[in-house]
Amino acid sequence: MRENTTLTALRAGKSTIGGWISLGNTHAAEMLAHAGFDWLCIDLQHGLIDYTDLRNMLPAISTTGTMPFVRVTDNAPAEIMKVLDLGAMGVIVPLVNDRAEAERAVAACRYPPDGGRSFGPIRAALYGGRGYAAESNQQIACIAMIETRAGIDNIEEIAATPGLDALYVGPADLALSLGLPPQGDTDDPLHRSTCEALIEAAHARSLPIGCHAGSTAYALKRLEMGFDFAPLGSDASWLMGGASKAVADVRGALPETRESTGY
């Protein structure tokens, strides 16, 4: 089966960098896949993307060696299984609050006897290649998001869940759970100390842990803090940032007033 190179790197203690996809554009997803990211995550939870978009975007990413991940809308086995059958090499599951919920996510990602995933990898077997049925339990990344007060309080039991491959911090929801404004890219001391405690709990179990970031600057901060993986931004932020800068650069270079040219 195709190797999940991102998962291999994380298991070896190496950092990985990714990108976040929230706009349902197949060509944009393919372009980002050619940019050299280790992984790209298609966001079904908050992104403007539906199943039809996903069905087209996963093959577009697969024109490269970039690993395609999907953040599902909920810890729902039917949805997790469906995106895996489409060829996702990993799922990021939001709002995981305790070990039972983590076990539920893991079970949806694993064929028996390791879990309860139903067999029918209609595209995944084609993309994954020969050996998918036998090897996918070891190659599919199951990643649980920690972003609630319950998730923080239960971090040690969540991190101890057999079969869980990594944790992922949702910093904006984490901020809300701490009584802070929902800002993900933040240097608030309470937010930082909470993240450090989550990193310590994950690494105590030799479990990789990532954190969402809205910019390259904050991705670097998160990685320097001890997180193992982070996105450098999103298609939406890069589009808006690039367009806004282009407009500002040109407006700043033009004189404030110009004499009439007579037409």
Side-chain angles (χ1 to χ4, degrees), residues 99-185:
R99 177 162 172 162
E101 293 184 3
E103 290 173 342
R104 177 182 176 89
V106 171
C109 294
R110 311 289 182 234
Y111 290 124
D114 299 329
R117 181 181 172 189
S118 177
F119 191 77
I122 185 167
R123 176 180 174 268
L126 180 65
Y127 168 60
R130 181 173 296 181
Y132 185 89
E135 300 173 37
S136 60
N137 282 6
Q138 289 73 48
Q139 294 296 334
I140 296 298
C142 181
I143 304 170
M145 288 195 73
I146 307 299
E147 48 192 343
T148 65
R149 183 74 255 177
I152 297 168
D153 293 342
N154 296 320
I155 183 61
E156 292 185 3
E157 67 175 48
I158 294 171
T161 304
L164 191 65
D165 293 300
L167 301 175
Y168 190 72
V169 174
D173 279 321
L174 187 77
L176 284 174
S177 73
L178 297 172
L180 302 171
Q183 183 178 352
D185 290 350

Side-chain angles (χ1 to χ4, degrees), residues 17 183-188 192 195-196 199 211-232:
I17 55 174
Q183 183 178 352
D185 290 350
T186 176
D187 294 315
D188 180 89
R192 181 181 178 89
C195 285
E196 289 172 344
I199 293 170
C211 186
H212 199 70
S215 67
T216 301
Y218 268 91
L220 283 170
K221 285 187 177 184
R222 299 308 184 198
L223 294 170
E224 289 169 354
M225 186 188 302
F227 284 107
D228 303 293
F229 60 106
L232 304 186

Side-chain angles (χ1 to χ4, degrees), residues 19-155:
W20 209 256
I21 299 179
S22 57
L23 304 177
N25 187 282
T26 299
H27 183 53
E30 187 172 18
M31 290 176 69
L32 289 177
H34 281 266
F37 292 105
D38 297 311
W39 52 271
L40 288 170
C41 183
I42 301 172
D43 188 2
L44 291 183
Q45 185 189 21
H46 293 304
L48 306 177
I49 297 168
D50 62 19
Y51 178 79
T52 301
D53 297 322
L54 183 66
R55 189 179 63 194
N56 295 321
M57 293 166 79
L58 283 171
I61 295 171
S62 300
T63 59
T64 72
T66 299
M67 289 293 102
F69 290 175
V70 175
R71 177 163 72 171
V72 291
T73 59
D74 192 13
N75 191 359
E79 181 176 314
I80 292 172
M81 294 181 201
K82 199 165 185 67
V83 303
L84 293 180
D85 287 346
L86 272 180
M89 291 295 286
V91 292
I92 299 178
V93 182
L95 301 169
V96 174
N97 297 303
D98 54 36
R99 177 162 172 162
E101 293 184 3
E103 290 173 342
R104 177 182 176 89
V106 171
C109 294
R110 311 289 182 234
Y111 290 124
D114 299 329
R117 181 181 172 189
S118 177
F119 191 77
I122 185 167
R123 176 180 174 268
L126 180 65
Y127 168 60
R130 181 173 296 181
Y132 185 89
E135 300 173 37
S136 60
N137 282 6
Q138 289 73 48
Q139 294 296 334
I140 296 298
C142 181
I143 304 170
M145 288 195 73
I146 307 299
E147 48 192 343
T148 65
R149 183 74 255 177
I152 297 168
D153 293 342
N154 296 320
I155 183 61

